[in-house]
Amino acid sequence: MAGLQVRDLDLSRHELTIRRTVIEVGGRVSVQDATKTNRSRTLPLPPELPLSSKLEDYVRGSGRIGAAPLFSATEGGVIRPNNWRRRVWKRAMAAAGIDEPPTPHSGRRTTASLLSAGGVPPSTVQAILGHSTLQQTGEYIDVARDEMEHGLAKLGQLYGGS
């Protein structure tokens, strides 16, 4: 998120390209023109996804262009990854009255689990999350008890049960 620039969002094609990352070493922030896997990836942003219209409205209303950070720090510029959780996330969770807040990374787990529950093939979930292996993706997917019961009932039917 911190490495995204306005030019990474193509509103006409409804897609977002992830091609850089932000690191902080010794208090110094650096934007690297590579991801941690050294591979960029492009995610479609279908108009049906509520995030798409909100993101489009945000970009059009912000006046940001080109290499400007898509999401900037409060004082402007690149978000400092080491401070963001303490300064933004924890405050937002406290303001929302959430006593045991999820981590920012929890959204990836929720996304993987919802996609899986929706019948999206594991390889597609893998591509969306940008994982290099299905094993890594599998570690992000939580399966609800009712889904397991449903799966096992189908297995019973395959074995000739009722």
Side-chain angles (χ1 to χ4, degrees), residues 69-87:
L70 185 57
F71 306 105
S72 61
T74 307
E75 64 280 355
V78 176
I79 294 172
R80 300 176 77 90
N82 293 348
N83 287 346
W84 184 84
R85 191 173 199 175
R86 178 178 47 84
R87 296 174 106 188

Side-chain angles (χ1 to χ4, degrees), residues 5 7 19-21 31-35 38:
Q5 296 177 353
R7 64 183 172 185
R19 60 178 60 133
R20 67 189 68 72
T21 191
V31 178
Q32 294 186 331
D33 285 326
T35 63
N38 289 319

Side-chain angles (χ1 to χ4, degrees), residues 70-124:
L70 185 57
F71 306 105
S72 61
T74 307
E75 64 280 355
V78 176
I79 294 172
R80 300 176 77 90
N82 293 348
N83 287 346
W84 184 84
R85 191 173 199 175
R86 178 178 47 84
R87 296 174 106 188
V88 177
W89 183 258
K90 285 187 177 184
R91 287 181 185 176
M93 294 296 105
I98 300 172
D99 294 328
E100 294 184 36
T103 68
H105 203 71
S106 298
R108 291 176 61 81
R109 288 190 167 294
T110 301
T111 298
S113 297
L114 288 172
L115 289 168
S116 178
V120 175
S123 58
T124 303

Side-chain angles (χ1 to χ4, degrees), residues 19-157:
R19 60 178 60 133
R20 67 189 68 72
T21 191
V22 173
I23 61 167
E24 185 172 354
V25 178
R28 193 170 163 179
V29 176
S30 172
V31 178
Q32 294 186 331
D33 285 326
T35 63
K36 64 183 177 182
T37 61
N38 289 319
R39 290 184 5 231
S40 67
R41 61 191 170 102
T42 300
L43 291 173
L45 293 174
E48 303 82 26
L49 196 62
L51 166 75
S52 294
S53 61
K54 290 179 181 181
L55 191 54
E56 184 174 336
D57 292 345
Y58 167 76
V59 170
R60 291 187 195 279
S62 72
R64 299 170 198 244
I65 59 170
L70 185 57
F71 306 105
S72 61
T74 307
E75 64 280 355
V78 176
I79 294 172
R80 300 176 77 90
N82 293 348
N83 287 346
W84 184 84
R85 191 173 199 175
R86 178 178 47 84
R87 296 174 106 188
V88 177
W89 183 258
K90 285 187 177 184
R91 287 181 185 176
M93 294 296 105
I98 300 172
D99 294 328
E100 294 184 36
T103 68
H105 203 71
S106 298
R108 291 176 61 81
R109 288 190 167 294
T110 301
T111 298
S113 297
L114 288 172
L115 289 168
S116 178
V120 175
S123 58
T124 303
V125 177
Q126 176 188 356
I128 290 170
L129 295 181
H131 290 157
S132 58
T133 67
L134 281 173
Q135 179 181 353
Q136 183 181 14
T137 302
E139 293 171 8
Y140 277 71
I141 297 173
D142 294 318
V143 180
R145 180 180 174 93
D146 62 330
E147 289 180 57
M148 287 189 275
E149 289 173 358
H150 181 70
L152 290 170
K154 279 187 173 184
L155 180 62
Q157 291 169 357

